[in-house]
């Protein structure tokens, strides 16, 4: 017979909201305003969800707002939304909203139910809920490994929660953001590790009672899929055994979608347009933000602006990236007794070596370099459209999550 729970807490775990994020780089003012509005709508949805679910408290694990852009009006609006709740809101500063001298966390008069965990006061005990919370956030825009030796040990009569804005089990030696390991956290003995910093949901850490909700509203094309918050339940039975339940709740207004269009068998601009339409018809109008990547080898020179024009009314924020490659007969070129032939022979040998070693990443780089080299040797230039898909991670690098 199963033991009945005699003690329980339920709370929302969110992070990386990034209020007042500029959403720059696209040259589209309307797009930036739309996305900032979407972030606000999702933030308000979090407040409504907390009320509807009658949760005991909310955890915000870093990057609530953008320090460099958040205005007085923004903070006033945030404070008003938090203040209408009758439950505690525990906020941890992140690397985008650190607890620095001019931080709004220091200078604003927050409602009584809002608790800011900082380097001076990193803990709070919610006595009415038998809950103890420790936070490791940011007091600067960049921080190295936190000193976990100073962390308060968990209380046997409490639910113990450890909040962290940082990286777990990842090697970022050149760009540290509060890096820790699962082993280090496990040794602390907390019941739940509430993470923030990375913008995609992750609940399958080596540390089984750790979770990262991701950004509730996705912020770029490296944040595809559904986004939202975590509804977490911790309960203790009559024998003192604790159990954890984590439920994902999607709240996002928009969804970034990546689509590949194979151009290898496409013979004309008109056919490419028709194929594009077939891809787009599967999307959710008004919600999905598509980026279509043209793939494959083709002699066709595609006009991307003309290609997307018929679909702009329904998909005004449609992006098309051309990552196609020209068709070259490298076997024939390698037999030429000239610079092109010598270059091709050398690159094909290096590709063969990578194949034998199973080094797919290096093979992708070499394959792109071969195409670029032959294009430069034949045409005396490199087509600006070409990157061979090598820089798809640049969104994340530019944002320095």
């Amino acid at each position: 017979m199963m033991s009945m729970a005699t003690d329980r807490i339920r709370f929302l775990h969110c992070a990386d909201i990034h209020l007042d994020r500029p959403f720059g780089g696209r040259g589209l003012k309307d797009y930036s305003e739309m996305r900032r509005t979407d972030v606000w709508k999702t933030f308000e949805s979090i407040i409504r969800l907390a009320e509807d679910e009658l949760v005991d408290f909310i955890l915000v694990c870093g990057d609530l707002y953008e320090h460099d852009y958040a205005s007085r009006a923004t903070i006033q609006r945030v404070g008003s939304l938090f203040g209408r709740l009758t439950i505690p809101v525990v906020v941890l500063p992140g690397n985008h909203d650190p607890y620095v001298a001019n931080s709004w966390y220091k200078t604003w008069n927050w409602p009584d139910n809002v608790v800011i965990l900082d380097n001076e006061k990193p803990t709070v005990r919610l006595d009415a809920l038998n809950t103890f919370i420790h936070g490791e956030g940011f007091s600067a825009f960049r921080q190295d490994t936190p000193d976990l030796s100073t962390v308060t040990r968990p209380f046997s009569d409490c639910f113990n929660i450890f909040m962290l804005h940082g990286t777990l089990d990842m090697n970022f030696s050149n760009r540290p953001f509060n890096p820790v390991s699962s082993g280090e956290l496990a040794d602390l003995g907390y019941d739940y590790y509430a993470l923030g910093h990375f913008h995609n949901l992750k609940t399958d850490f080596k540390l089984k009672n750790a979770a990262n909700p991701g950004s509730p509203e996705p912020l770029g094309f490296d944040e595809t899929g559904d986004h939202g918050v975590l509804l977490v339940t911790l309960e203790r039975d009559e024998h003192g055994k604790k159990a954890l339940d984590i439920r994902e709740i999607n709240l996002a207004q928009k969804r970034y979608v990546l689509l590949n269009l194979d151009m290898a068998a496409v013979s004309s601009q008109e056919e490419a347009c028709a194929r594009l339409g077939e891809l787009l018809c599967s999307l959710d109008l008004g919600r999905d933000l598509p980026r279509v990547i043209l793939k494959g080898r083709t002699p066709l020179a595609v006009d991307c602006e003309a290609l997307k024009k018929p679909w702009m009314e329904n998909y005004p924020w449609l992006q098309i990236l051309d990552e196609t490659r020209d068709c070259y007969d490298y076997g024939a070129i390698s037999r030429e007794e000239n610079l092109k032939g010598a270059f091709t022979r050398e690159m094909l040998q290096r590709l063969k070596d990578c194949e034998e070693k199973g080094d797919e990443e290096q093979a992708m780089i070499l394959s792109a370099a071969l195409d670029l080299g032959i294009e430069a040797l034949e045409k005396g230039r490199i087509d600006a459209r070409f990157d061979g898909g090598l820089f798809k991670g640049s969104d994340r690098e530019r944002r320095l999550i």
Side-chain angles (χ1 to χ4, degrees):
M1 182 175 177
M2 292 183 63
S3 300
M4 297 297 292
T6 58
D7 198 4
R8 185 179 78 158
I9 56 171
R10 295 172 74 244
F11 57 92
L12 292 185
H13 172 194
C14 63
D16 299 284
I17 299 167
H18 290 274
L19 292 166
D20 280 4
R21 179 182 178 81
F23 287 99
R26 292 173 61 103
L28 297 170
K29 180 183 177 183
D30 291 344
Y31 171 84
S32 298
E33 291 179 353
M34 175 193 72
R35 296 302 290 127
R36 283 194 292 271
T37 299
D38 288 335
V39 172
W40 271 110
K41 287 180 179 178
T42 296
F43 178 60
E44 291 170 346
S45 295
I46 296 172
I47 302 299
R48 288 194 298 272
L49 180 65
E51 294 171 326
D52 294 343
E53 290 287 342
L54 301 176
V55 297
D56 297 309
F57 55 90
I58 298 175
L59 302 182
V60 183
C61 293
D63 291 353
L64 169 61
Y65 61 82
E66 291 281 347
H67 175 88
D68 291 340
Y69 299 97
S71 65
R72 181 183 181 87
T74 290
I75 302 305
Q76 186 174 50
R77 186 175 174 184
V78 172
S80 177
L81 287 166
F82 282 160
R84 88 182 196 194
L85 297 169
T86 59
I87 59 173
V89 179
V90 184
V91 180
L92 185 71
N95 60 301
H96 281 258
D97 58 354
Y99 197 75
V100 292
N102 62 339
S103 166
W104 287 112
Y105 294 134
K106 282 190 175 185
T107 61
W108 190 255
N109 184 23
W110 293 92
D112 292 340
N113 66 318
V114 176
V115 179
I116 312 296
L117 299 184
D118 57 70
N119 55 316
E120 299 166 1
K121 186 184 176 184
T123 67
V124 63
R125 181 161 178 158
L126 308 177
D127 290 324
L129 298 168
N130 292 326
T131 298
F132 176 76
I133 303 172
H134 179 98
E136 289 288 334
F138 277 70
S139 57
F141 289 97
R142 186 72 57 84
Q143 283 183 193
D144 210 328
T145 306
D147 182 6
L148 299 182
S149 67
T150 63
V151 174
T152 303
R153 294 297 160 175
F155 295 89
S156 60
D157 61 336
C158 284
F159 292 110
N160 298 278
I161 299 172
F162 188 96
M163 297 174 68
L164 171 73
H165 190 84
T167 57
L168 178 61
D169 296 331
M170 303 183 76
N171 181 16
F172 280 101
S173 55
N174 295 325
R175 295 170 54 197
F177 290 97
N178 266 358
V180 295
S181 69
S182 286
E184 290 171 321
L185 292 188
D187 287 343
L188 297 176
Y190 278 66
D191 300 314
Y192 180 66
Y193 297 90
L195 308 182
H197 183 53
F198 284 95
H199 294 178
N200 289 308
L201 169 71
K202 186 172 176 61
T203 57
D204 60 348
F205 290 102
K206 186 187 304 182
L207 185 63
K208 299 305 181 184
N209 54 338
N212 182 86
S215 50
E217 181 67 31
L219 305 175
F221 279 100
D222 54 348
E223 299 173 27
T224 56
D226 292 333
H227 280 249
V229 301
L230 300 177
L231 177 59
V232 183
T233 302
L234 269 170
E235 58 185 15
R236 175 170 42 211
D237 67 20
E238 59 191 13
H239 304 296
K241 184 177 181 180
K242 294 175 182 175
L244 172 67
D245 179 72
I246 302 172
R247 180 154 65 96
E248 304 162 14
I249 300 180
N250 177 35
L251 296 176
Q253 309 299 307
K254 296 292 191 296
R255 180 173 59 181
Y256 288 98
V257 180
L258 294 174
L259 300 169
N260 291 330
L261 178 55
D262 187 359
M263 297 291 291
V266 176
S267 59
S268 67
Q269 180 88 13
E270 292 72 25
E271 185 180 354
C273 188
R275 295 277 188 92
L276 175 60
E278 293 172 4
L279 275 182
L280 296 177
C281 71
S282 64
L283 300 182
D284 184 347
L285 279 174
R287 184 188 181 202
D288 288 343
L289 300 173
R291 173 184 283 177
V292 178
I293 305 172
L294 308 183
K295 296 283 190 177
R297 293 189 179 275
T298 176
L300 185 66
V302 179
D303 184 337
C304 290
E305 289 302 312
L307 184 60
K308 70 181 183 181
K309 187 174 181 180
W311 311 106
M312 291 299 286
E313 182 176 351
N314 288 334
Y315 305 97
W317 316 115
L318 171 63
Q319 288 187 5
I320 298 180
L321 302 184
D322 188 354
E323 293 184 359
T324 58
R325 302 187 185 184
D326 288 330
C327 297
Y328 293 112
D329 184 347
Y330 287 121
I333 296 174
S334 68
R335 293 189 291 272
E336 296 180 12
E337 294 300 325
N338 52 28
L339 180 58
K340 279 198 305 179
F343 171 72
T344 301
R345 288 191 295 273
E346 175 64 24
M347 295 300 287
L348 290 178
Q349 182 58 52
R350 293 191 183 189
L351 281 166
K352 183 180 178 182
D353 293 343
C354 284
E355 183 179 344
E356 292 175 352
K357 296 175 183 178
D359 191 343
E360 294 182 4
E361 183 177 355
Q362 183 65 16
M364 182 184 74
I365 294 171
L366 289 172
S367 179
L370 175 57
D371 287 335
L372 289 167
I374 294 300
E375 183 175 348
L377 289 169
E378 285 201 344
K379 302 177 181 178
R381 60 177 175 78
I382 294 175
D383 193 333
R385 69 174 169 80
F386 185 87
D387 74 12
L390 294 178
F391 310 112
K392 287 186 287 187
S394 58
D395 285 350
R396 183 181 297 265
E397 291 299 313
R398 284 194 296 271
R399 289 206 306 274
L400 293 176
I401 60 173

